[in-house]
Amino acid sequence: MSIKIGIAGVGAIGSALARTLTSEKGIDNYVLDCISDPDAKAYFNVPNVDFDTLMTRCDLVVECLPAHIVPILAKTAFLSNTDIIFITAAAWLLYPQIADNYKNSQSRVYIPSGALCGLDGVRAIKELGITSAKIASTKPPLGFKGAPYIIENDIDLTDIKEKILLFEGNALEASKGFPANVNVAATLSLAGIGAENTRVEIWADPQAISNAHEITIKSEYSTLVSKIENMPDPMNPKSSILAAQSIVATLRNMSSAIVMT
Ligand SMILES: NC(=O)c1ccc[n+]([C@@H]2O[C@H](COP(=O)([O-])OP(=O)(O)OC[C@H]3O[C@@H](n4cnc5c(N)ncnc54)[C@H](O)[C@@H]3O)[C@@H](O)[C@H]2O)c1
């Protein structure tokens, strides 16, 4: 029997997932049952419902929303014990009530790798005891436009002529200064040793044409260095195309006889 999926938010990421689910190839064992997006720009031949109905109809909900809406969806999912995939990992750092509301829920929570790579190694190294975790993100300067840290420090992004370190701190501090850029740091924190112990460097590089993320994880026995460069999603330059595919890959893995982790 197919597992019924509901997608909350069908912008760049949600609509890419919906297209895959409704394509001829589809995803084995999963069917798109409904979406929830009052401003949906695409039509997928399924009902567009509110969050409560999403939980009643679906076995698994996929969150693809702006961060500030995520706590509302999360609370609805947790109260109804609905399983949920979160692509906006940053919301777990920005809104601590999500973790509080989760405490008494039976919902299974999945957090895909999103724009990041190397989390398989992070999980294994965690078993050995991670001694340090760092993520360095590099983007073109205008990728940080509107970030509170940029505004508060009166940084003129158009004046950056060579690669510079804009910010250094832990993932919690990064989530406050760069809330729109912190999904990867949040994902690494959740997979690894938490936001307060995860160091974040944010670099602006006028020569960069992609968004790059390099993680360095150390333990007594292993050192992991993993770097990915992502082109922006044409539908939303703040997201990368890879993020949607990490959800597709998660679903394919969950339904596969041979599970790669
Ligand atoms: N984990 C990662 O590495 C990673 C990477 C990229 C993006 N993201 C995150 O994924 C999320 C989605 O990104 P996107 O590029 O698809 O964004 P998007 O802006 O293209 O789409 C968001 C959609 O949510 C809808 N929406 C807004 N308010 C809503 C509400 N109250 N109810 C239902 N729908 C609502 C909008 O109409 C829009 O269609 C963002 O929070 C982004 O930060 C995570």
Side-chain angles (χ1 to χ4, degrees):
M1 209 175 64
S2 292
I3 295 169
K4 287 188 275 179
I5 292 206
I7 304 177
V10 285
I13 294 180
S15 65
L17 173 62
R19 278 196 301 278
T20 303
L21 281 163
T22 53
S23 69
E24 208 176 308
K25 188 179 174 196
I27 302 177
D28 282 352
N29 296 344
Y30 292 96
V31 61
L32 180 64
D33 180 84
C34 52
I35 58 166
S36 180
D37 190 333
D39 196 22
K41 309 266 185 328
Y43 180 69
F44 297 103
N45 205 19
V46 293
N48 191 344
V49 300
D50 62 22
F51 287 169
D52 284 322
T53 313
L54 202 64
M55 304 308 159
T56 341
R57 289 182 61 116
C58 300
D59 306 304
L60 175 64
V61 164
V62 184
E63 172 276 310
C64 304
L65 294 167
H68 68 282
I69 309 292
V70 179
I72 305 167
L73 180 80
K75 193 171 181 186
T76 320
F78 296 162
L79 278 173
S80 60
N81 296 319
T82 307
D83 291 349
I84 178 164
I85 295 180
F86 287 97
I87 194 63
T88 310
W92 283 72
L93 298 197
L94 295 168
Y95 305 101
Q97 68 264 38
I98 296 180
D100 287 343
N101 288 332
Y102 182 57
K103 278 180 189 144
N104 296 317
S105 176
Q106 304 295 311
S107 301
R108 191 112 205 265
V109 167
Y110 301 88
I111 301 190
S113 49
L116 207 54
C117 68
L119 295 177
D120 50 348
V122 176
R123 286 197 306 274
I125 293 176
K126 191 176 176 179
E127 297 298 323
L128 295 169
I130 295 173
T131 51
S132 71
K134 187 181 96 173
I135 177 161
S137 295
T138 306
K139 293 187 176 185
L142 290 179
F144 301 108
K145 200 174 160 196
Y149 183 89
I150 300 297
I151 295 167
E152 278 156 27
N153 290 284
D154 206 15
I155 297 170
D156 181 358
L157 294 167
T158 59
D159 202 31
I160 297 175
K161 303 289 182 240
E162 57 187 41
K163 186 174 175 181
I164 59 158
L165 181 61
L166 277 180
F167 168 89
E168 200 176 4
N170 70 28
L172 215 53
E173 291 156 354
S175 73
K176 296 190 177 95
F178 295 87
N181 287 285
V182 89
N183 281 300
V184 281
T187 304
L188 180 61
S189 304
L190 291 163
I193 51 174
E196 281 175 19
N197 295 316
T198 301
R199 304 299 301 163
V200 177
E201 288 177 5
I202 293 185
W203 294 80
D205 182 358
Q207 262 71 56
I209 50 164
S210 60
N211 299 331
H213 307 291
E214 182 170 315
I215 65 176
T216 309
I217 304 292
K218 291 186 179 166
S219 78
E220 195 182 339
Y221 306 99
S222 302
T223 297
L224 163 77
V225 180
S226 159
K227 182 174 179 183
I228 188 152
E229 292 180 14
N230 297 316
M231 294 306 287
D233 191 322
M235 212 173 142
N236 180 1
K238 287 183 184 159
S239 292
S240 59
I241 292 180
L242 189 74
Q245 299 316 311
S246 78
I247 308 175
V248 174
T250 298
L251 294 173
R252 285 203 201 287
N253 209 23
M254 279 156 61
S255 70
S256 173
I258 298 174
V259 178
M260 304 296 296
T261 63

